Amino acid sequence: MICVCLLALSVMGCSSKASTNPKDYVGEYIYQPTNSSPGKSASVVILKPDFTALEIRFFKGTGQVETTQAKWYLTHTTGENVVIGNFSHPVEGSRSEIKLGINDDLGQYYEKIQ
């Protein structure tokens, strides 16, 4: 009986849940579209401790750089979601290995790098 309980606890511990602490989400995230050639464009999102988010998009072909700033916050629904402006990103992972979902069907997400 004890072995079964320990096995159940170890299996449950293997799947890490997303943090409910907004401080864990502060940092830099990077995304490179899967439907573009490598190096053609890139997007970086920086979540700041004051709950502002800065998105920087670079388009190599044109040299154009776009920046936007918005508020961000964490919601607790069926899972954790980081909302940046009007867009909700479902959270995968926890602590330093965080991914903010963009499009699950296409496997697109921002990944925390710092």
Side-chain angles (χ1 to χ4, degrees):
M1 180 70 172
I2 293 174
C3 291
V4 172
C5 290
L6 290 175
L7 180 61
L9 286 174
S10 68
V11 169
M12 288 172 28
C14 289
S15 62
S16 60
K17 293 192 177 204
S19 173
T20 58
N21 184 348
K23 290 180 182 181
D24 290 337
Y25 296 95
V26 170
E28 298 175 18
Y29 297 77
I30 191 162
Y31 165 72
Q32 180 145 344
T34 55
N35 61 352
S36 71
S37 301
K40 294 288 184 187
S41 65
S43 181
V44 174
V45 170
I46 302 168
L47 300 182
K48 299 179 182 181
D50 67 357
F51 296 97
T52 57
L54 177 64
E55 182 177 13
I56 305 166
R57 291 182 183 205
F58 173 72
F59 302 92
K60 186 175 181 180
T62 63
Q64 182 180 4
V65 176
E66 293 178 357
T67 60
T68 56
Q69 189 167 336
K71 289 289 185 184
W72 75 272
Y73 59 93
L74 186 62
T75 63
H76 316 286
T77 55
T78 55
E80 300 304 306
N81 288 281
V82 171
V83 179
I84 302 172
N86 295 323
F87 194 87
S88 181
H89 300 272
V91 175
E92 293 180 28
S94 65
R95 303 278 175 188
S96 62
E97 294 183 22
I98 297 173
K99 293 180 181 179
L100 305 179
I102 297 170
N103 185 322
D104 287 343
D105 294 337
L106 299 176
Q108 297 174 332
Y109 54 86
Y110 287 105
E111 185 169 12
K112 188 172 186 181
I113 57 172
Q114 284 190 7

